[in-house]
Amino acid sequence: MPTSSVGVTNRQRGVTLIEMLIVMALIALVAGMAAPSVSAGLDSLRLRSTSDAIVGFFNTALARADTRQQVVEILISPQEGTLIAISGDHAFQKKLEIASPVKILSIKPGLAADVQDQGGPRRFLVYPGGTVPKITIEIGNSQGRKRLISIDPVTGVPQADAK
């Protein structure tokens, strides 16, 4: 029995322009809703990686003082966003620059009330075999998240805590 082609249309299959615009609008809507959470996640990641970098910086400076039996000066400059460690003979110099969205908010222990330059660079000395100074740095990002990085004077171990 022969088949007839009555009622069969020869259409090309594909996507119309309207269908494509609807899909693009849905993708843009989902991306727009997800962007703030992705941005906040990236800021938190930057803050955490900066605090880990500061902990590593402190570990390097403390290890240098201990293994080489040299005094190491740690210079923390909140205005420039830098940490510098220099050995007594200037053979060891390490600099850590903090990325732009993260800033140094405070350094503790605080200075005496009569000191004029409260926001200026702070210097700490690490003596080999001596007690490690209690240093606490508070860093934060533009969204108000903060982290504390401190050196425990009893154990001499740097650590980072979310605030």
Side-chain angles (χ1 to χ4, degrees):
M1 201 164 136
T3 59
S4 97
S5 60
V6 177
V8 176
T9 59
N10 190 7
R11 288 191 325 166
Q12 290 186 354
R13 300 197 181 259
V15 179
T16 65
L17 180 61
I18 293 176
E19 291 171 337
M20 187 179 303
L21 289 175
I22 290 172
V23 170
M24 296 288 283
L26 289 173
I27 290 172
L29 182 68
V30 170
M33 291 172 53
S37 63
V38 169
S39 175
L42 287 175
D43 284 346
S44 295
L45 187 62
R46 284 186 190 114
L47 188 64
R48 181 175 292 153
S49 68
T50 300
S51 68
D52 290 344
I54 294 172
V55 167
F57 176 86
F58 282 152
N59 274 328
T60 303
L62 295 171
R64 177 67 181 209
D66 195 37
T67 58
R68 300 291 180 139
Q69 294 295 301
Q70 293 178 331
V71 175
V72 174
E73 177 186 19
I74 298 175
L75 174 69
I76 305 168
S77 178
Q79 293 168 339
E80 296 175 9
T82 59
L83 288 86
I84 301 171
I86 303 171
S87 64
D89 62 355
H90 295 284
F92 169 74
Q93 293 184 359
K94 182 170 176 75
K95 182 176 185 179
L96 174 66
E97 294 184 9
I98 296 177
S100 174
V102 178
K103 294 182 180 179
I104 298 174
L105 301 176
S106 67
I107 303 168
K108 294 176 182 140
L111 293 173
D114 61 345
V115 176
Q116 296 294 326
D117 193 12
Q118 292 288 336
R122 297 283 307 277
R123 298 180 191 283
F124 297 92
L125 293 177
V126 178
Y127 293 100
T131 303
V132 178
K134 170 81 170 153
I135 305 171
T136 302
I137 300 175
E138 182 180 26
I139 59 173
N141 62 13
S142 58
Q143 295 174 337
R145 291 195 173 96
K146 299 176 182 177
R147 288 184 72 90
L148 291 175
I149 301 95
S150 61
I151 301 176
D152 185 358
V154 175
T155 62
V157 176
Q159 57 191 4
D161 299 320
K163 189 172 182 183

